[in-house]
Amino acid sequence: MAEPAAHTEAHTEAPGGHAVFPPFQRDTFASQLVWLTISFVLLYVLMAKVALPRIGAIFAEREKRIGDDLKAAQDFKTQSDAAHAAYEKALADARGRAQGIAATTREQQAAEAEATNKRLEAQLHERIAAAEQSIAATRAAAMGNVGSIAAETATAIVERLIGQAPADRDVAAAVSEALKR
C-alpha cells in the first residue's frame, strides 16, 4: 500500500518537493484539452439552442409590451388633450353665457329701476300739484279772512287808542286801501 501513496505524491509534487497545480501536469494536459473542448461545445450548443432563444423571446416580449404601453400612453394623452380642449371650450361657452345672462339681467334691472323712478316721479309731481292747490286754496281762504281780521284788529286798536269804536265802513275802506299797496 505504500506504493499507491508514493505514486500520488509523484503526480502532485514538483521537482524540488513542491506540489504542482493539477491542470499544469504534463501527463493529463491532453485529456484536459479534450474535455475542455467537449464542455465548451456542449455549453455553446446548450446556450445557442436553449438559453439564448428564451432570453431573446423574453426581450422581444418586453419590447412589444413596452411598445404597446407607449402606444396606449400616447392614445391616452391624445384623449386627455381632446378632453381638456373640450373642457376649455365648454368653460369658455359657459363664461360667455354667464356674461350674456348678467348683461340681460343688468338691462332688465336698469329698465325696471327706470320705470320705478318714472312712476315715483309722476306720483311725486301729482302730490306736489295737489299740495300747491291745497296751499293756494289755504292762501286764498287766509287772504279772504285777512281783510276781516285786519278790520277787527284795526277797530280794536282805534277803540283802545281813542276810546271810541270807528265806523265799520271807514275801517273797511282803510283796510282795503292798505291791502292794495
Side-chain angles (χ1 to χ4, degrees):
M1 256 185 120
E3 199 175 301
H7 185 263
T8 308
E9 285 180 9
H11 286 291
T12 58
E13 285 189 18
H18 296 294
V20 177
F21 186 58
F24 294 145
Q25 290 181 1
R26 288 185 200 167
D27 306 355
T28 60
F29 192 69
S31 68
Q32 288 178 10
L33 280 178
V34 170
W35 282 110
L36 175 68
T37 306
I38 292 171
S39 299
F40 180 76
V41 168
L42 266 169
L43 284 174
Y44 180 78
V45 169
L46 183 67
M47 291 297 284
K49 299 293 182 186
V50 178
L52 290 177
R54 287 183 184 174
I55 292 172
I58 290 171
F59 281 153
E61 179 186 339
R62 284 185 181 175
E63 185 176 338
K64 181 183 179 291
R65 190 179 321 146
I66 288 170
D68 291 345
D69 288 347
L70 287 175
K71 184 177 180 278
Q74 184 63 35
D75 291 344
F76 286 141
K77 184 182 182 299
T78 304
Q79 289 174 357
S80 173
D81 290 344
H84 181 71
Y87 168 75
E88 289 294 330
K89 184 182 180 303
L91 187 62
D93 291 346
R95 284 184 181 144
R97 284 193 305 269
Q99 288 175 352
I101 291 170
T104 303
T105 303
R106 265 187 256 121
E107 290 172 3
Q108 287 176 347
Q109 289 177 348
E112 290 173 3
E114 187 176 335
T116 302
N117 284 344
K118 285 183 179 179
R119 183 176 45 84
L120 291 175
E121 195 173 297
Q123 288 176 351
L124 184 61
H125 285 301
E126 289 175 8
R127 286 183 180 175
I128 288 173
E132 285 176 353
Q133 288 177 352
S134 173
I135 289 171
T138 304
R139 182 182 291 156
M143 289 309 270
N145 292 335
V146 166
S148 64
I149 292 172
E152 288 176 11
T153 305
T155 303
I157 290 173
V158 170
E159 184 177 343
R160 192 149 174 129
L161 286 175
I162 60 172
Q164 194 178 21
D168 286 336
R169 69 177 153 70
D170 291 338
V171 173
V175 168
S176 66
E177 188 176 319
L179 288 178
K180 286 182 186 177
R181 293 187 208 161

